[in-house]
């Protein structure tokens, strides 16, 4: 065990996590909690929409709040490249820059540096990489990534980590894990040196990132090491990168079992509705994924009976809502026939409506999950949901099948790199 | 003079227009009125956003209503080609198809057939043309266009007309005008035969379309002929096709002077804020134009001090709203710096926010115009507005300068044809 970092006894101000319900159903490790952050109080398990470039694609902040979201993601890598953290800081931080009054979480940039950057050089200090926008050179170190995230000013920030690709050898996964641990210690030091405060003046909570690929012993070691740093929360990184669902679920169970029960657990980049339900059953509290938003831009609609593709001619005269069981503002007003027409005609309102609906679907899924945990019926909920979702004529879609992206600022270079990931 | 059509003494049910104020200022022919339609009551002068393909690009119907719009346009030509009026009729009409509870006006398709169609053949019966989408052949006759508009079911429908290009000879303009008159009579007959009712069951009002290019005697003749048909309203077509503002304004004045004072006058496809103010001063009541929406998608923002282009680097750290004098939902929340970032990053929220703002700007402009007419200060308002709008560093933009379109379902073929028009 590591010795605890200097500030080990200081509270993480304005941050708390209370586990409010633990499932006692056999074979279910699900739990509910309340996460208190400077900008919001959040019920867990929670899904966090991804706002890569200071916007959840196609959505206004008001619409996100209307659906019920109180926390969204921003991407450190993308925001560093454009518009740059200095401009965001001068705007008063990312909340103000994008007019989002809820809570924010920024990732570490590690995933993008390792999965997206064409040219990169790994040194003792950090990673040098080229911008996908203009080819300019940038260096990410644990210290610089902490500074970028201070400038952005999210409620939750992530320690810089190395996300190993899948598949990779045990040696590679171990090396990436050890580097992640060393960087986590440097992040903690840098962060404590900055009094754990955002440039905007509010406190930030630093989460560590468990790595170790799909090797159970590495995951155990990583969870134990990071736990020794006594951070306010822990992410499970390096999954949803192409591995089988069974390997993913085993790795999740292995990891959550070694993380402290009193701290929130965040599974990065996952996933489909079924992936999320399975992970909640294994003790995960927080999720993010681009599936509901990205797939929406490809006309794919999540429904209680699986995924429907609105580009299909069968919807030409289908005057039913996207999902008859959905009560979102889109399903209250619009028909499948109309949404199909919008996609055929390349009208922006098409992806707007499907994005709003898909995010509403995910938000309601989490609400239903929480209700099932509280009432002790999570096992039954899981069974019924999966049966209805998978059983109909609609096709299900997995993270690994995430398809081409209609419109996105990043261009084809990024597409190839991330096409199989639930992250951007 | 023509003999009046068979139903000349029948009322146009659910349609009325009351002129409520007439300016007594010298040199000002502006007036205010109330237009009552089956789906809305509308204060005039009014601006109607263009919803070409059953959607005002980038906007939801709820947002349009929130801004205050009660009437929008649909395009007969585009909707005939996609999704087709049969599907719209089976949905219960265009209001239902696009979930718009306000009033609708559909144009005649004449403008598009003559300005957009690559291949077309003008016969005695009507116009044969090829779809820009798939090359399929279509025939528009006065009777078929009336049937398409019955199926779509707008509150106001337009007689089929021929819009002559600019410049063109007097002979060409006269020929197009005579054809327009003959077609108008056939439209009236077809419409009376169908009891002036939409397929959905509500009454529709048929407007005629004054043509005659920029030749004053032709405009006079056309206005007088159409007036003899005793229609509930009259459009001024064939303008905003490249002519000088002075020629346009003279033609407008010449035309409105010959139209009955008790009927609404609709200037098609116009225009910039200044164009609209000048036309209101010459007695026009209704307007539509793609400028606020199309230019929004090119990052052009209408403000009280002229047009700003959000792609300009000068806005990188400009944390002011788009227009300091604007009270729209976008200006209440978002900064120029953020909107510029969204356009740089190709984020859909960019055109969403600028479209919402520009339409809010146009809506407020019309409200201010009406208030000035009522208080007898229109002349002063016109002077002050033009001075502030044109006098600052921001560049003004005219219909003739309408620029490339960022995203649109129609493809490059259409762009070339209509790039100088305020219509789609």
């Amino acid at each position: 065990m590591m010795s605890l970092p200097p500030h080990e006894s200081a509270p993480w101000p304005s941050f708390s996590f209370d586990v409010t319900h633990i499932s006692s159903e056999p074979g279910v490790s699900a739990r509910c909690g309340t996460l208190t952050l400077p900008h919001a109080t959040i019920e867990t398990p929670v899904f966090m929409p991804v706002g890569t470039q200071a916007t959840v694609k196609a959505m206004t902040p008001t619409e996100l709040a209307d659906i019920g979201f109180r926390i969204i993601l921003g991407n450190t890598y993308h925001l560093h490249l454009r518009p740059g953290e200095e401009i965001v800081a001068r705007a008063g931080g990312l909340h103000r820059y994008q007019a989002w009054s809820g809570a924010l979480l920024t990732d570490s940039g590690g995933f993008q540096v390792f999965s997206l950057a064409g040219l990169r050089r790994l040194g003792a200090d950090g990673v040098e990489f080229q911008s996908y926008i203009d080819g300019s050179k940038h260096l990410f170190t644990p210290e610089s990534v902490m500074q970028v995230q201070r400038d952005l000013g999210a409620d939750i920030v992530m320690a810089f980590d190395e996300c190993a690709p899948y598949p990779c050898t045990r040696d590679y996964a171990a090396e990436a894990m050890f580097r992640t641990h060393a960087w986590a210690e440097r992040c903690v030091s840098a962060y404590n040196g900055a009094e754990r405060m955002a440039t905007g003046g509010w406190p930030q909570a630093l989460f560590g990132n468990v790595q170790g690929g799909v090797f159970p012993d590495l995951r155990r070691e990583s969870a134990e090491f990071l736990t020794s740093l006594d951070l306010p929360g822990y992410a499970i990184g390096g999954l949803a990168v192409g591995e089988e669902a069974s390997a993913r679920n085993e790795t999740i169970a292995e990891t959550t079992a070694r993380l402290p029960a009193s701290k929130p657990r965040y599974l990065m980049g996952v996933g489909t509705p079924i992936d999320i339900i399975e992970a909640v059953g294994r003790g995960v509290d927080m999720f993010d994924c681009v599936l509901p938003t990205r797939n929406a831009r490809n006309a794919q609609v999540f429904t209680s009976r699986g995924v429907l593709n609105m580009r299909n001619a069968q919807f030409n005269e289908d005057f039913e809502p996207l999902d008859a069981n959905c009560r979102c503002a889109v399903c209250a007003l619009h028909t499948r026939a109309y949404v199909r027409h919008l996609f055929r005609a390349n009208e922006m309102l098409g992806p707007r409506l499907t994005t709003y609906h898909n995010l509403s679907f995910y938000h309601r899924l989490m609400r239903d999950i929480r209700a099932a945990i509280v009432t002790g019926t999570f096992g039954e909920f899981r069974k019924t949901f999966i049966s209805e979702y998978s059983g109909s004529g609609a096709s299900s879609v997995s993270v690994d099948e995430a398809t081409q992206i209609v419109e996105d600022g990043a261009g084809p270079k990024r597409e190839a790199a991330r096409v199989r990931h639930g992250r951007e």
Side-chain angles (χ1 to χ4, degrees), chain A:
Chain A
M1 290 276 279
M2 277 276 306
S3 67
L4 292 177
H7 284 234
E8 85 277 17
S9 58
W12 292 88
S14 297
F15 180 92
S16 70
F17 181 64
D18 300 301
V19 177
T20 53
H21 293 87
I22 301 178
S23 175
S24 57
E25 299 173 71
V28 174
S29 305
R31 73 234 195 113
C32 286
T34 303
L35 180 63
T36 304
L37 300 170
H39 290 84
T41 298
I42 292 139
E43 301 302 310
T44 64
V46 65
F47 178 80
M48 304 178 286
V50 180
T52 304
Q53 303 193 101
T55 165
V56 174
K57 288 185 195 301
M59 298 286 290
T60 63
T62 308
E63 288 169 337
L64 292 166
D66 285 348
I67 292 175
F69 291 110
R70 297 292 175 262
I71 181 168
I72 63 175
L73 247 71
N75 280 112
T76 294
Y77 168 87
H78 295 288
L79 294 169
H80 168 69
L81 294 182
R82 190 169 57 196
E85 64 275 9
E86 302 87 352
I87 285 180
V88 174
R90 283 197 282 275
L94 188 54
H95 298 78
R96 277 210 187 168
Y97 188 67
Q98 68 182 77
W100 171 246
S101 60
L104 276 168
L105 180 153
T106 44
D107 64 3
S108 72
F111 174 81
Q112 287 79 15
V113 164
F114 286 97
S115 69
L116 308 180
L119 262 175
R120 65 167 177 270
R121 204 167 54 83
L122 190 60
D125 224 37
V127 190
E128 199 179 71
F129 61 95
Q130 276 196 314
S131 163
Y132 73 90
I133 301 168
D134 60 8
S136 58
K137 280 194 181 164
H138 298 259
L139 175 68
F140 267 4
T141 66
E143 292 77 15
S144 78
V145 163
M146 289 297 99
Q147 182 59 44
V148 172
Q149 290 188 83
R150 281 189 71 211
D151 283 342
L152 297 175
D155 302 71
I156 298 174
V157 297
M158 301 293 306
F160 193 45
D161 64 322
E162 177 175 351
C163 175
Y166 181 87
C168 79
T169 63
R170 194 185 180 288
D171 282 356
Y172 191 112
E175 197 188 332
M177 180 195 76
F178 286 125
R179 191 177 290 114
T180 295
H181 294 175
W183 285 354
E185 290 189 287
R186 284 168 60 188
C187 284
V188 170
S189 295
Y191 228 60
N192 288 339
E195 303 294 337
R196 300 170 175 176
M197 288 289 184
T199 302
W202 52 86
Q204 298 182 295
L206 173 64
F207 280 26
N209 210 331
V210 176
Q211 291 289 352
V214 289
F215 302 97
D217 59 323
L218 295 183
R219 286 284 170 178
R220 278 196 293 274
E221 184 175 348
S222 187
E224 280 163 10
F225 176 85
L226 288 167
T227 300
S228 77
L229 297 182
D230 194 27
L231 296 168
Y234 298 96
I236 306 172
L239 292 179
V241 292
E243 75 285 350
E244 295 286 320
S246 57
R248 178 161 65 247
N249 288 332
E250 277 169 41
T251 306
I252 292 166
E254 201 69 51
T255 309
T256 56
R258 261 99 192 155
L259 288 170
S262 62
K263 305 284 179 79
R265 303 154 182 167
Y266 162 31
L267 178 58
M268 303 189 81
V270 172
T272 68
I274 292 174
D275 292 339
I276 288 175
I277 290 170
E278 294 294 354
V280 166
R282 289 164 176 82
V284 173
D285 307 299
M286 303 166 69
F287 298 88
D288 79 282
C289 190
V290 298
L291 273 193
T293 44
R294 178 188 292 175
N295 288 17
R297 301 196 299 282
N298 288 307
Q300 288 177 7
V301 170
F302 287 91
T303 81
S304 46
R305 306 204 166 255
V307 173
L308 301 176
N309 192 321
M310 286 300 123
R311 289 198 185 275
N312 195 314
Q314 78 180 90
F315 300 118
N316 256 340
E317 300 192 32
D318 185 336
F319 301 120
E320 296 300 310
L322 296 177
D323 183 355
N325 295 326
C326 181
R327 296 172 152 207
C328 83
V330 171
C331 287
L333 267 186
H334 298 290
T335 64
R336 293 168 172 180
Y338 182 56
V339 172
R340 160 155 170 77
H341 164 69
L342 294 172
F343 273 96
R344 276 182 80 202
N346 284 326
E347 284 286 354
M348 212 185 296
L349 188 56
R352 276 195 62 179
L353 297 183
T354 51
T355 301
Y356 190 102
H357 165 79
N358 281 356
L359 285 176
S360 300
F361 181 89
Y362 267 65
H363 188 263
R364 196 188 42 171
L365 170 68
M366 304 314 290
R367 193 200 58 194
D368 292 348
I369 285 173
R370 293 193 300 270
I373 296 169
V374 169
T375 55
T377 58
F378 179 81
E380 191 188 314
F381 169 83
R382 171 165 59 185
K383 195 175 152 192
T384 307
F385 182 95
I386 293 177
S387 159
E388 286 184 1
Y389 189 81
S390 312
S392 75
S395 64
S396 74
V397 64
S398 82
V399 170
D400 302 349
E401 290 161 10
T403 46
Q404 59 153 147
I405 295 164
V406 170
E407 84 300 288
D408 191 292
K413 232 189 283 184
R414 272 175 70 211
E415 301 312 318
R418 72 179 180 189
V419 74
R420 292 170 61 221
H421 302 89
R423 299 167 70 182
E424 289 183 319

